[in-house]
Amino acid sequence: QVELVESGGGLVQAGDSLRLSCAASGRTFSSVVMGWFRQAPGKEREFVAAIRWNEGSTYYHDSVKDRFIISKDNTKNTMYLQMNNLKPEDTAVYYCANDPGTFVYARVKHPRFYDHWGRGTQVTVSS
């Protein structure tokens, strides 16, 4: 019943910025942590960033620290990812995910612990 819909992807040049959104819906929606993951062709899905829904703490993969900012609007059930100074290696399909269970720090970056996923939005960065 929970639905996640990403938006905001596109084709940009290196150095440009994009802002991704993830809208969650459904009467059964609840969240402990929501995260962004990305997957490039031929590669495994990797962690990008996460945010605790109520507490607000944020977590980032080292490759995007100081460039990406994750945020949320609880009243709109929406999560955002502001991506600055994009690089060609950021090219991937970006997915948002939700974990409604108990927060465990060690599991934040692992996609297998998230229960709900969006369809993804393509981000392509040209050099």
Side-chain angles (χ1 to χ4, degrees):
Q1 188 173 356
V2 174
E3 184 178 52
L4 304 177
V5 180
E6 303 95 336
S7 62
L11 173 62
V12 298
Q13 295 182 330
D16 287 351
S17 298
L18 281 174
R19 185 174 186 248
L20 305 183
S21 297
C22 173
S25 62
R27 281 191 169 274
T28 61
F29 174 74
S30 64
S31 179
V32 171
V33 58
M34 293 190 71
W36 288 98
F37 293 80
R38 65 188 182 188
Q39 187 167 21
K43 298 182 179 180
E44 293 185 347
R45 189 165 299 188
E46 68 174 0
F47 170 75
V48 177
I51 186 166
R52 293 182 68 175
W53 194 247
N54 293 313
E55 192 271 344
S57 296
T58 58
Y59 312 88
Y60 297 92
H61 189 274
D62 287 344
S63 66
V64 305
K65 286 183 177 179
D66 302 320
R67 295 191 298 123
F68 292 8
I69 302 172
I70 189 171
S71 62
K72 62 182 177 65
D73 185 339
N74 296 58
T75 64
K76 298 180 179 179
N77 286 346
T78 301
M79 177 179 64
Y80 307 94
L81 184 67
Q82 177 66 44
M83 305 185 294
N84 300 313
N85 191 25
L86 284 162
K87 303 176 180 180
E89 53 263 41
D90 295 318
T91 295
V93 176
Y94 283 69
Y95 300 89
C96 66
N98 178 54
D99 178 9
T102 302
F103 176 76
V104 179
Y105 174 77
R107 300 183 176 185
V108 168
K109 66 180 182 180
H110 300 295
R112 66 180 181 273
F113 296 113
Y114 289 76
D115 291 345
H116 310 123
W117 293 85
R119 297 177 183 176
T121 184
Q122 177 71 48
V123 173
T124 302
V125 185
S126 62
S127 59

